[in-house]
Amino acid sequence: MSSGRSGHDAVRERPSPVRARAGAASAIGTALLGAMLVAQVATGLQTRPILLTSVVVLLLAASALAFACATHSPARVFAAFAAVVATGYAAEWIGIRTGVPFGAYHYTDVLQPALGGVPVIVAVAWGGMGLAAHAVAAAIAPGSRAARIVTGALALTAWDLFLDPQMMRLDLWVWHDPGPYRDVPISNFVGWFVVSLLVMALLEGVLTEPATWNAGLVSVYTVMAVMETIGFAFVFDPTDPLVATAGGLSMGLFTLLAWRRGRRGRPDSEAGRA
């Protein structure tokens, strides 16, 4: 009897395949996020860190994919990521030819490889940060699909307050009609919000249980917010207090709301749900 109970308990305590997958995915995501952090620090120590910039984006996307697989089925995660990458690429391809929806701009030849004038790494960035921003929205507004879509779009657009000034100082793209925010036109942020709405709607439609709390993905967004703020405030040459403040406050607001609200009423078991 005793040995039978012990055997039964051993079987009962053995991690389920879903929980084991979630644990492995989280561990991989954490390692990739740590590598991304190291690469980001390295970019701040170089005057023109073009190669490392692409490495950061690749690690960002890989980390986001791994963390997403902890709470959603891998097949749906990769389908959602592919849909967002395709959407981001299409928006950029149309944008450099028509000026819609971001405004008139073009990419330089610095970022390679490029397809149809759009660097591939740019589309990958849409996918990685799209997943992270959606997780932030899921934490802030778990009970409303519409609220998640709008919140996620705003969170993703907030990132561009850092991204555009940083990429312009590296001569990665050029605005034909410079605007008021470090030469970035207001139309760019309007376009980002519109495209981000589509991105969030796609993620809502493809992912299983899109409102599930995902601390790993929120951590990806948090690391980007903190590192970009530190970079513009103290590391880049020259520093840029305006961008550090605007981007830091914008992404910081979503970060704080996500951590504060995401932990309320979220049992640990949700981390392994798929």
Side-chain angles (χ1 to χ4, degrees), residues 101-228:
F102 308 109
Y105 71 107
H106 70 272
Y107 286 97
T108 65
D109 295 330
V110 176
L111 278 180
Q112 296 295 329
L115 295 175
V118 178
V120 174
I121 201 68
V122 171
V124 174
W126 276 100
M129 278 303 287
L131 287 170
H134 180 265
V136 167
I140 296 173
S144 170
R145 179 182 295 268
R148 287 196 300 272
I149 290 174
V150 173
T151 301
L154 289 171
L156 188 53
T157 303
W159 179 49
D160 196 46
L161 292 170
F162 284 129
L163 182 64
D164 245 275
Q166 184 176 1
M167 297 302 104
M168 286 180 65
R169 67 165 58 195
L170 295 176
D171 298 322
L172 301 186
W173 58 73
V174 178
W175 288 103
H176 299 177
D177 300 307
Y181 180 72
R182 292 296 184 255
D183 291 336
V184 181
I186 299 300
S187 61
N188 171 68
F189 301 108
V190 176
W192 258 78
F193 179 67
V194 171
V195 176
S196 296
L197 285 173
L198 179 56
V199 165
M200 295 302 136
L202 284 170
L203 292 174
E204 281 287 316
V206 177
L207 293 179
T208 51
E209 299 190 50
T212 301
W213 162 247
N214 189 311
L217 282 172
V218 175
S219 296
V220 171
Y221 190 90
T222 302
V223 167
M224 291 301 295
V226 172
M227 294 303 293
E228 293 282 10

Side-chain angles (χ1 to χ4, degrees), residues 49-68:
I50 302 303
L51 177 59
L52 281 176
T53 298
S54 296
V55 171
V56 168
V57 174
L58 289 173
L59 289 171
L60 161 69
S63 178
L65 282 167
F67 281 128

